[in-house]
Amino acid sequence: MISRLPHTCRVHSLRVLSRNLQTQARYEYPSRDEQDDGSFLPRSGLATPRQLVRYLDEYVIGQEIAKKVLSVAVFNHYTRVRANLAAFDDESDADPWSEANADDANSSVSSAHLHPHPQRALPHQLPLQPRQPVSLFEKSNVLVIGPTGSGKTLLARTLARVLDVPFSVSDATSFTQAGYVGEDVDMCIQRLLQAANWDSYRASTGIVYIDEVDKIARKSSSTTESSRDVGGEGVQQALLRMMEGSVVTVQGKPSSLEPPAPTARGRGSPAAAQQRPDTYHIDTSNVLFILSGAFVGLDTVVKRRVSKGSIGFTATLAPKEEDSDSKGFLPFFTSNRRSSENLLEMIEPADLVKYGFIPEFISRLPTLTTLSPLSTQDLRRILTDVRGSLISQYTALFGLSGVEIRFTTASIDQICLRAVERGGGARGLRGIMESLLLDAMYEVPGSNVRYVLITGDMVLGKSPALYWMRGDGPAFWAAWADEEQRAERHQL
């Protein structure tokens, strides 16, 4: 695009672009024909944890520990399922009592099978055989804890795009105990069955992701002894056996959602159509459960356990609350500012029990990982570096109207600083971008404007966005180059 400019503007632009600062999107927003995530990993082979982490790095910024934990959990889940299914096939093929000879089967007289008396047989000659094959490896469910906007849901959705297994995403906010208004816990298995195209065998080896799991914590303060917590502890009790491994009965697809069967000509008899069963039985022994939530207030529980007060002149005083006021209310958004120490990394099962979970529920989540709040550099990379970044999305959105939009370095820095003060993580960035580009998205469509420049003064509210008409491309690029040079001199 710079090749169309005059020589003087081209020189100024090249000087600015020679710096290492990334001001525009590294990846262009892919078109519908180019969106093929399946080409990254082979569908036939087993993706290694390193390959999964490398794939997640293109969409999620930071959170290296959480990426490793989820990648290892998914890889071990694949390996565990293959080993268990292979063991089941071997045990089903081997029958110790079917040793009849082929010649005896063809003849009318069969040879007798002599077995010793049970009381006279040695103990090692009669090993106990289970009626049902037992799994060789047990699964390890995962619990992901992190503040709002740190990338919990994005990690799950990114994994769902690349995995070749059924993957269902559910929200625990609407879960209630069976028999009450709301969704039953079995709905997550029904969504998994739908993701498997109603194949019960593939659904029994899938992955279930449940978001907002902190909303099912026991609400002891708001309930009395006579009332039942149908949305908290009742849901935890319902999830116990499902997470451990049991056979869940799921209703089939309703007949009203089925397409009408074509009728045959002649006597009007309907054509034979494949009828699905009314109920499905899904074994969750090989289903991996990944649970996540923000767990607002859990850091206070950890702080009370870690900080130990004492009396005396050399006593260690407990730190004061920084993010909460004197009344003890928590902020609506989680701040992006990093503290001196991440209290979520010191979480123990006892802290989750005090938060409102029953011990049986926590013991079924052996793998625990935490996500840290996003820093200013992380927010900047979310704007420019990752695939499907916000700047690439808005650039493509304006491009559909034939308009080219550019962001200066100063504008990106001010947007990140506003996001840090506002809180909310990556979701706060989208809210800021929507408010900044509201006037441009209102004025530009249907007008003669072909170029839009967002500067740092525009983010601060000192000046509006800069517009150029058709044919003013050299002036637009020259203004952008001047803003970049001004930002470079300011940094020096």
PDB file of all heavy atoms in Angstrom, residues 322-334:
ATOM      1  N   GLU A 322      -7.410  -3.684  49.690  1.00  0.00           N
ATOM      2  CA  GLU A 322      -7.160  -2.629  48.721  1.00  0.00           C
ATOM      3  C   GLU A 322      -8.275  -2.484  47.708  1.00  0.00           C
ATOM      4  O   GLU A 322      -8.602  -1.397  47.279  1.00  0.00           O
ATOM      5  CB  GLU A 322      -5.837  -2.894  47.978  1.00  0.00           C
ATOM      6  CG  GLU A 322      -4.637  -2.896  48.908  1.00  0.00           C
ATOM      7  CD  GLU A 322      -3.355  -3.174  48.144  1.00  0.00           C
ATOM      8  OE1 GLU A 322      -3.465  -3.423  46.933  1.00  0.00           O
ATOM      9  OE2 GLU A 322      -2.274  -3.155  48.757  1.00  0.00           O
ATOM     10  N   ASP A 323      -8.841  -3.605  47.314  1.00  0.00           N
ATOM     11  CA  ASP A 323      -9.839  -3.557  46.248  1.00  0.00           C
ATOM     12  C   ASP A 323     -11.263  -3.494  46.773  1.00  0.00           C
ATOM     13  O   ASP A 323     -12.215  -3.457  45.997  1.00  0.00           O
ATOM     14  CB  ASP A 323      -9.702  -4.790  45.324  1.00  0.00           C
ATOM     15  CG  ASP A 323      -8.378  -4.786  44.588  1.00  0.00           C
ATOM     16  OD1 ASP A 323      -7.823  -3.690  44.413  1.00  0.00           O
ATOM     17  OD2 ASP A 323      -7.917  -5.881  44.210  1.00  0.00           O
ATOM     18  N   SER A 324     -11.469  -3.540  48.059  1.00  0.00           N
ATOM     19  CA  SER A 324     -12.807  -3.498  48.628  1.00  0.00           C
ATOM     20  C   SER A 324     -12.917  -2.316  49.566  1.00  0.00           C
ATOM     21  O   SER A 324     -11.931  -1.864  50.141  1.00  0.00           O
ATOM     22  CB  SER A 324     -13.124  -4.803  49.376  1.00  0.00           C
ATOM     23  OG  SER A 324     -12.171  -5.004  50.402  1.00  0.00           O
ATOM     24  N   ASP A 325     -14.114  -1.823  49.729  1.00  0.00           N
ATOM     25  CA  ASP A 325     -14.321  -0.679  50.589  1.00  0.00           C
ATOM     26  C   ASP A 325     -14.526  -1.120  52.019  1.00  0.00           C
ATOM     27  O   ASP A 325     -14.428  -2.290  52.366  1.00  0.00           O
ATOM     28  CB  ASP A 325     -15.515   0.146  50.087  1.00  0.00           C
ATOM     29  CG  ASP A 325     -16.747  -0.721  49.882  1.00  0.00           C
ATOM     30  OD1 ASP A 325     -16.696  -1.886  50.306  1.00  0.00           O
ATOM     31  OD2 ASP A 325     -17.745  -0.239  49.315  1.00  0.00           O
ATOM     32  N   SER A 326     -14.886  -0.160  52.885  1.00  0.00           N
ATOM     33  CA  SER A 326     -15.016  -0.458  54.299  1.00  0.00           C
ATOM     34  C   SER A 326     -16.200  -1.354  54.604  1.00  0.00           C
ATOM     35  O   SER A 326     -16.233  -2.023  55.632  1.00  0.00           O
ATOM     36  CB  SER A 326     -15.162   0.856  55.091  1.00  0.00           C
ATOM     37  OG  SER A 326     -16.302   1.579  54.613  1.00  0.00           O
ATOM     38  N   LYS A 327     -17.188  -1.386  53.736  1.00  0.00           N
ATOM     39  CA  LYS A 327     -18.361  -2.213  53.973  1.00  0.00           C
ATOM     40  C   LYS A 327     -18.148  -3.655  53.557  1.00  0.00           C
ATOM     41  O   LYS A 327     -19.009  -4.495  53.807  1.00  0.00           O
ATOM     42  CB  LYS A 327     -19.569  -1.649  53.206  1.00  0.00           C
ATOM     43  CG  LYS A 327     -19.954  -0.251  53.685  1.00  0.00           C
ATOM     44  CD  LYS A 327     -21.166   0.242  52.923  1.00  0.00           C
ATOM     45  CE  LYS A 327     -21.562   1.645  53.366  1.00  0.00           C
ATOM     46  NZ  LYS A 327     -22.753   2.145  52.631  1.00  0.00           N
ATOM     47  N   GLY A 328     -17.062  -3.966  52.899  1.00  0.00           N
ATOM     48  CA  GLY A 328     -16.770  -5.340  52.531  1.00  0.00           C
ATOM     49  C   GLY A 328     -17.306  -5.766  51.202  1.00  0.00           C
ATOM     50  O   GLY A 328     -17.296  -6.950  50.874  1.00  0.00           O
ATOM     51  N   PHE A 329     -17.800  -4.823  50.370  1.00  0.00           N
ATOM     52  CA  PHE A 329     -18.325  -5.181  49.066  1.00  0.00           C
ATOM     53  C   PHE A 329     -17.175  -5.343  48.078  1.00  0.00           C
ATOM     54  O   PHE A 329     -16.208  -4.606  48.106  1.00  0.00           O
ATOM     55  CB  PHE A 329     -19.298  -4.113  48.566  1.00  0.00           C
ATOM     56  CG  PHE A 329     -20.562  -4.054  49.375  1.00  0.00           C
ATOM     57  CD1 PHE A 329     -20.742  -3.056  50.313  1.00  0.00           C
ATOM     58  CD2 PHE A 329     -21.549  -5.004  49.208  1.00  0.00           C
ATOM     59  CE1 PHE A 329     -21.911  -2.997  51.052  1.00  0.00           C
ATOM     60  CE2 PHE A 329     -22.706  -4.961  49.953  1.00  0.00           C
ATOM     61  CZ  PHE A 329     -22.891  -3.953  50.889  1.00  0.00           C
ATOM     62  N   LEU A 330     -17.320  -6.299  47.174  1.00  0.00           N
ATOM     63  CA  LEU A 330     -16.308  -6.548  46.156  1.00  0.00           C
ATOM     64  C   LEU A 330     -16.626  -5.743  44.912  1.00  0.00           C
ATOM     65  O   LEU A 330     -17.795  -5.460  44.621  1.00  0.00           O
ATOM     66  CB  LEU A 330     -16.268  -8.042  45.810  1.00  0.00           C
ATOM     67  CG  LEU A 330     -15.765  -8.949  46.928  1.00  0.00           C
ATOM     68  CD1 LEU A 330     -15.955 -10.399  46.521  1.00  0.00           C
ATOM     69  CD2 LEU A 330     -14.313  -8.689  47.239  1.00  0.00           C
ATOM     70  N   PRO A 331     -15.627  -5.330  44.147  1.00  0.00           N
ATOM     71  CA  PRO A 331     -15.884  -4.573  42.921  1.00  0.00           C
ATOM     72  C   PRO A 331     -16.566  -5.441  41.881  1.00  0.00           C
ATOM     73  O   PRO A 331     -16.433  -6.662  41.884  1.00  0.00           O
ATOM     74  CB  PRO A 331     -14.482  -4.144  42.473  1.00  0.00           C
ATOM     75  CG  PRO A 331     -13.568  -5.157  43.068  1.00  0.00           C
ATOM     76  CD  PRO A 331     -14.192  -5.543  44.383  1.00  0.00           C
ATOM     77  N   PHE A 332     -17.316  -4.778  40.969  1.00  0.00           N
ATOM     78  CA  PHE A 332     -18.020  -5.523  39.923  1.00  0.00           C
ATOM     79  C   PHE A 332     -17.037  -6.139  38.948  1.00  0.00           C
ATOM     80  O   PHE A 332     -17.185  -7.286  38.546  1.00  0.00           O
ATOM     81  CB  PHE A 332     -18.984  -4.594  39.197  1.00  0.00           C
ATOM     82  CG  PHE A 332     -19.790  -5.291  38.144  1.00  0.00           C
ATOM     83  CD1 PHE A 332     -20.853  -6.108  38.482  1.00  0.00           C
ATOM     84  CD2 PHE A 332     -19.478  -5.142  36.800  1.00  0.00           C
ATOM     85  CE1 PHE A 332     -21.587  -6.753  37.506  1.00  0.00           C
ATOM     86  CE2 PHE A 332     -20.210  -5.778  35.835  1.00  0.00           C
ATOM     87  CZ  PHE A 332     -21.269  -6.583  36.194  1.00  0.00           C
ATOM     88  N   PHE A 333     -15.998  -5.389  38.552  1.00  0.00           N
ATOM     89  CA  PHE A 333     -14.978  -5.880  37.631  1.00  0.00           C
ATOM     90  C   PHE A 333     -13.725  -6.223  38.418  1.00  0.00           C
ATOM     91  O   PHE A 333     -13.393  -5.574  39.413  1.00  0.00           O
ATOM     92  CB  PHE A 333     -14.626  -4.836  36.563  1.00  0.00           C
ATOM     93  CG  PHE A 333     -15.701  -4.656  35.537  1.00  0.00           C
ATOM     94  CD1 PHE A 333     -16.425  -3.486  35.468  1.00  0.00           C
ATOM     95  CD2 PHE A 333     -16.002  -5.665  34.651  1.00  0.00           C
ATOM     96  CE1 PHE A 333     -17.413  -3.322  34.522  1.00  0.00           C
ATOM     97  CE2 PHE A 333     -16.986  -5.513  33.699  1.00  0.00           C
ATOM     98  CZ  PHE A 333     -17.694  -4.334  33.636  1.00  0.00           C
ATOM     99  N   THR A 334     -13.014  -7.237  37.970  1.00  0.00           N
ATOM    100  CA  THR A 334     -11.743  -7.604  38.574  1.00  0.00           C
ATOM    101  C   THR A 334     -10.647  -6.728  37.987  1.00  0.00           C
ATOM    102  O   THR A 334     -10.509  -6.614  36.776  1.00  0.00           O
ATOM    103  CB  THR A 334     -11.420  -9.087  38.307  1.00  0.00           C
ATOM    104  OG1 THR A 334     -12.508  -9.874  38.789  1.00  0.00           O
ATOM    105  CG2 THR A 334     -10.146  -9.488  39.014  1.00  0.00           C
TER     106      THR A 334
END
